[in-house]
Amino acid sequence: MKLKNGFALHDVCGEKVLIAEGIDNINFSKLINLNPTAAYLWEQASEGEFTAESLAEQLTKEYDVDYAQALSDTQALIQQWGALNLIDE
């Protein structure tokens, strides 16, 4: 899967937020606030194709978390991104 084009991660007053850019912003009525871990995973996912497993591996490299917990967390995050229509599967 890949992240949808047209969304950019910005630092606004110390908070990481996703903002729709260009024509997509016309119908986008809210900002999506990401915690530091979700922002890190967004940056990793923005490099191209990703899976829950590949993001979990990146998470274990960056944070002190075991793979099983990282996989559970990335699966939940991907589900949330999907519900917000932020990914193409």
Side-chain angles (χ1 to χ4, degrees), residues 18-33:
L18 289 176
I19 300 174
E21 297 183 326
I23 194 75
D24 290 330
N25 197 24
I26 293 171
N27 294 322
F28 196 70
S29 62
K30 63 182 173 183
L31 301 176
I32 299 171
N33 188 16

Side-chain angles (χ1 to χ4, degrees), residues 4 8-9 12 22 31 41 43-44 53 63 66 72 75:
K4 283 199 171 193
L9 183 63
V12 178
L31 301 176
L41 291 173
E43 290 169 345
Q44 299 305 306
E53 292 81 7
Y63 295 94
D66 66 65
S72 175
Q75 288 170 332

Side-chain angles (χ1 to χ4, degrees), residues 24-77:
D24 290 330
N25 197 24
I26 293 171
N27 294 322
F28 196 70
S29 62
K30 63 182 173 183
L31 301 176
I32 299 171
N33 188 16
L34 300 178
N35 68 29
T37 305
Y40 170 77
L41 291 173
W42 181 270
E43 290 169 345
Q44 299 305 306
S46 68
E47 295 180 6
E49 295 280 334
F50 66 91
T51 63
E53 292 81 7
S54 67
L55 291 182
E57 289 175 20
Q58 293 298 320
L59 202 56
T60 61
K61 291 178 186 176
E62 185 69 16
Y63 295 94
D64 183 25
V65 60
D66 66 65
Y67 181 80
Q69 183 63 54
L71 182 59
S72 175
D73 291 347
T74 57
Q75 288 170 332
L77 184 62

Side-chain angles (χ1 to χ4, degrees), residues 5-16:
N5 291 328
F7 293 94
L9 183 63
H10 294 276
D11 191 346
V12 178
C13 298
E15 297 289 324
K16 297 288 188 179

